[in-house]
Amino acid sequence: MTILKLLLLAAGFLCIGLGTVGIFLPVLPTTPFYLLATYCFAKSSERFHRWFTGTGLYKKHLESFANNRSMTLKTKLTILIPVTLMLTVAAITVDVFAMRIVIAALLLAKYWYFIFKIKTVKPVKVEAE
């Protein structure tokens, strides 16, 4: 295994850890970290990629996005709200006007993408047996 693959594998596990912490801490968004973990595993190890895409964490947070480029409204909001808050704090605290413009453009681009490029779907209800 090459150094790059080992680094990607380590990054994948780090992203799983951060994403899982994000389930409990609203400051860390779960889905982007799981997306990055999926990418890292896909580029580094087929075995770990299969393992991760078979976990409940992946199925709950990413499967609909990976299959249909869609998310539930709740998933979208759990990504958008914390990141918006962090970027807003950054925009308020930074003294450089050009950086405020960059942050505002980033916020607008993010909302445009989530509204127009990612379809919003209703949550799938799991029936009890």
Side-chain angles (χ1 to χ4, degrees), residues 31-59:
T31 306
F33 284 116
Y34 284 172
L35 282 171
L36 188 54
T38 304
Y39 173 82
C40 290
F41 288 142
K43 295 294 183 183
S44 64
S45 168
E46 184 180 329
R47 185 177 112 206
F48 284 113
H49 181 70
R50 272 195 322 269
W51 165 76
F52 183 59
T53 57
T55 64
L57 294 172
Y58 176 87
K59 291 176 190 246

Side-chain angles (χ1 to χ4, degrees), residues 86-104:
M86 288 186 287
L87 287 173
T88 302
V89 168
I92 292 169
T93 58
V94 73
D95 289 334
V96 180
F97 182 73
M99 283 307 298
R100 288 182 178 167
I101 298 296
V102 169
I103 292 170

Side-chain angles (χ1 to χ4, degrees), residues 6-112:
L6 285 173
L7 289 172
L8 285 169
L9 192 62
F13 281 108
L14 177 65
C15 289
I16 288 175
L18 290 171
T20 302
V21 169
I23 293 171
F24 305 102
L25 293 176
V27 177
L28 287 174
T30 299
T31 306
F33 284 116
Y34 284 172
L35 282 171
L36 188 54
T38 304
Y39 173 82
C40 290
F41 288 142
K43 295 294 183 183
S44 64
S45 168
E46 184 180 329
R47 185 177 112 206
F48 284 113
H49 181 70
R50 272 195 322 269
W51 165 76
F52 183 59
T53 57
T55 64
L57 294 172
Y58 176 87
K59 291 176 190 246
K60 180 178 179 185
H61 295 280
L62 285 180
E63 193 168 50
S64 70
F65 178 76
N67 293 338
N68 310 327
R69 302 272 306 162
S70 64
M71 293 181 182
T72 63
L73 181 59
K74 181 181 177 185
T75 302
K76 283 183 174 186
L77 291 175
T78 58
I79 295 170
L80 290 171
I81 292 171
V83 175
T84 299
L85 291 172
M86 288 186 287
L87 287 173
T88 302
V89 168
I92 292 169
T93 58
V94 73
D95 289 334
V96 180
F97 182 73
M99 283 307 298
R100 288 182 178 167
I101 298 296
V102 169
I103 292 170
L106 182 62
L107 278 168
L108 289 172
K110 181 180 65 146
Y111 274 90
W112 177 84

